Every structure is written in structure tokens, then in C-alpha cells.
Amino acid sequence: PGASPSIHPHLPKASSLSFADVFASHPENATVRYFYATSLLLLHPWNLYSYPAKEPLHPDTISALSTVLLPTPTPEHSHLGLAHLLVHFTEMSPDPLSSPILYATPQPHLLHMNTHYSLLTGDYLTAHNYNLHAVKYGLRLASAHPDVSGPHSFYVGYALHDAHTLLFSALMGGYKSLSFEAVDLMSQVMTPNQLESAPSNVKAGCEGYFAGLYHALMRFGMWRSAADLEPPPGRDWMATRAAYFCVKAVAHANLAETETAQRHLAKAEEAVKLTEGRYVHNNACLDILAVELLRARGEVSYFAGDVLSGLALLREAVEKEDGLRYDEPP
């Protein structure tokens, strides 16, 4: 569960208190437990433990969630919502692998959810393999039930997230061919034409995923291919367009085409400003792209001969990335 940045600050607390009363009367009801656990997680989304020390930040909430989620008997893992929330609760705890592993699941997104643990422990190949199952299963569901699982449904955000995690599992593991296969699969979950015809709220929430190809080209140093990229087709693909100019700047810098790199860097600076108000989960696109901008500035400076300034900017990019709110692996 995530929290919209526009959510009223008192709503999660009021909701959790109300569901606590319902839970007290119906502690064995799985659906009641699901809604109560959701309300508790929304009190401090992805912020129950400190990083990297993993010290409890909100002991009362952690205790309540333990009461609701951890005694879950195996048969109740058939309640997909409880299984989902169990991962979100335990993944950043001091011992995430102590919770039940839920690989045997009838739902594609839960196949993905298990890989939160895999990514956090550096098991990138396992993460890739289970996300691959999730994406392929999701594509079959979208074909059979497009109204609830297709590219314009509520579920498409989950499907794109599964595909995005598939890609980053391969990128982080250094699996080049698997990375580009993941890029192709992501384009099957939602094509550019489908994104263009999507409702404005769906487009705003999903367009950032279309930068996956850029990440793959940078990860494997394919600078000429990155430099030759065409711009994204949608003028209102704000996050993707900003990422496009960043990767073009980095690619031309690595190719020693300094003037061209500087031109793209200037365009990136302007494009990032246009992403104000857009979020990817609980991080603002402005904050995420600030990391990309620092990397682009650093590489352009470094390859232009200002080595010390370039390295300082790259170190600043690392610090800013570490300062992002924990969201979803990676």
C-alpha cells in the first residue's frame, strides 16, 4: 500500500482507530484483518524501520501489525491481500526472511512480491525468474480479461511494476540479454499507443516506466545506441522525456561529443522542471530525476576534463539517491 501525497494527514490515523474496533470484534475475519493492516501500514508508509540500522521507528504500529499479520496460518495465505501486506510489513525488518515465503500463489503480482526479499538479499537471478513468471502470467490474464487486467485497467500499474522489477533484477545482476528481453516484455504490458490513449491519470502514473530502455543502454555502456535514441512519442510523457535528455547527455559525454552532451544536459535541466506534481509511488519525480541530473552533470564534467568536479557531482548523486524514501526494490 502507498499513500497519495494529497491524502489528508489525519485520515490514516482515524481509519486505523476505526478498523481497530472492528478487528477487536472480528479478529478471525481475514478481510477485516486485511483492511486493518492496510490502515496501519498507511500510518508510516515504508517507514517503520530506520535505514540502514533497521531500528524500529514506530514500535506501537509494528506491534499492532505483528498481531494482525504474523500469526497468519498457512491456509489464510489464500487471502491475497494479507499475503501482499505481509511482504510489505516484513521486507525492511531486521530479519525479512523469517516471514513465510509465498512463491506458490494463484496471482501474478504475488509472484512478484516474493522477489522483494530476493532483491534485498542480492539474489537477482531468482528475482528475475519469478518476475518473469509474473509478467507472462499477467499478460495471459490481460488477454483473457482486459477489462480488469488490461492496459487501461487499474491493475496495469501493478503489471508495469512487475515488468519494471523484472528489468531491474536483470540490470542489477548484470544480465545483458535478459535486460533487453525485459524491455520488450514491458512494451507488451502497455504499448506506447495504449499509453497515449489512456486516461490522463493512468498516463501520468505509468509513463515513467517507459524509460526502461534508457536504463538498459546506460547499464551496459551502449553509448552509440543511446546517443541515437529517438525522443519519446508523447509530448506529455514528462518523466520519460526528462530521462531521455539525461541519458543522451551521458551517452554523448562518454563518446567525447562534449558540445552535444552539454546541449542535451541543458534540455534535461528544463525537462525535469516539468515533472513537478508527478510521483512514482511515494517519491516525487523531481526527487528521482534530481539523481539522474547529477549523474549527467557529473559525467559531462568528467569527460570534458573537469575530473574533480565530475567526481564530486557523482558522489552527490549517490548521496541524493540514498536520501530517497524507500519505495519498492530496487
Side-chain angles (χ1 to χ4, degrees), residues 186-199:
M186 189 179 294
S187 69
Q188 294 178 43
V189 174
M190 177 180 264
T191 67
N193 286 339
Q194 288 168 337
L195 179 64
E196 274 296 283
S197 62

Side-chain angles (χ1 to χ4, degrees), residues 43-279:
L43 290 173
H44 312 286
W46 290 289
N47 195 35
L48 292 173
Y49 297 90
S50 64
Y51 179 83
K54 295 190 176 182
E55 296 291 337
L57 296 176
H58 305 282
D60 291 345
T61 303
I62 292 170
S63 177
L65 281 163
S66 298
T67 300
V68 178
L69 289 174
L70 291 184
T72 305
T74 301
E76 286 214 8
H77 285 170
S78 60
H79 192 286
L80 305 183
L82 280 175
H84 187 166
L85 298 187
L86 180 63
V87 177
H88 277 305
F89 174 46
T90 58
E91 62 183 304
M92 289 304 290
S93 68
D95 187 15
L97 292 182
S98 65
S99 64
I101 302 299
L102 311 168
Y103 285 139
T105 170
Q107 208 276 348
H109 188 60
L110 284 187
L111 286 170
H112 151 82
M113 287 300 296
N114 289 279
T115 67
H116 285 218
Y117 300 128
S118 305
L119 285 162
L120 288 168
T121 55
D123 188 356
Y124 301 127
L125 188 57
T126 294
H128 169 274
N129 291 342
Y130 278 98
N131 277 295
L132 182 62
H133 288 307
V135 172
K136 289 186 173 181
Y137 187 3
L139 286 170
R140 291 198 298 272
L141 283 179
S143 177
H145 306 286
D147 53 332
V148 295
S149 300
H152 290 172
S153 69
F154 172 79
Y155 185 74
V156 72
Y158 291 93
L160 281 170
H161 174 53
D162 296 348
H164 183 250
T165 310
L166 171 69
L167 169 61
F168 271 83
S169 300
L171 293 178
M172 294 167 76
Y175 304 113
K176 183 177 180 179
S177 62
L178 296 181
S179 296
F180 287 97
E181 289 173 12
V183 170
D184 289 340
L185 277 173
M186 189 179 294
S187 69
Q188 294 178 43
V189 174
M190 177 180 264
T191 67
N193 286 339
Q194 288 168 337
L195 179 64
E196 274 296 283
S197 62
S200 59
N201 63 319
V202 175
K203 185 183 295 187
C206 294
E207 58 95 359
Y209 287 114
F210 283 74
L213 174 61
Y214 310 157
H215 294 293
L217 293 173
M218 282 208 295
R219 170 67 176 84
F220 297 105
M222 301 173 67
W223 304 124
R224 179 47 61 194
S225 295
D228 292 341
L229 284 167
E230 294 294 324
R235 293 296 303 176
D236 55 350
W237 295 19
M238 306 305 187
T240 300
R241 184 166 294 275
Y244 164 79
F245 286 123
C246 286
V247 72
K248 294 277 277 193
V250 171
H252 285 290
N254 277 267
L255 293 168
E257 297 167 356
T258 303
E259 290 186 7
T260 306
Q262 290 170 337
R263 285 200 302 272
H264 283 294
L265 180 58
K267 292 179 180 179
E269 302 272 4
E270 294 303 312
V272 167
K273 297 175 185 176
L274 299 177
T275 66
E276 185 172 1
R278 292 200 174 184
Y279 282 73

Side-chain angles (χ1 to χ4, degrees), residues 270-323:
E270 294 303 312
V272 167
K273 297 175 185 176
L274 299 177
T275 66
E276 185 172 1
R278 292 200 174 184
Y279 282 73
V280 175
H281 294 278
N282 63 342
N283 279 295
C285 288
L286 281 175
D287 294 333
I288 299 169
L289 288 164
V291 178
E292 296 283 346
L293 266 181
L294 283 167
R295 180 199 173 158
R297 291 174 191 154
E299 299 232 15
V300 171
S301 295
Y302 180 92
F303 285 105
D306 192 351
V307 173
L308 293 180
S309 293
L311 291 175
L313 286 163
L314 292 172
R315 291 189 189 98
E316 188 179 349
V318 172
E319 291 175 3
K320 188 167 285 289
E321 184 176 36
D322 285 344

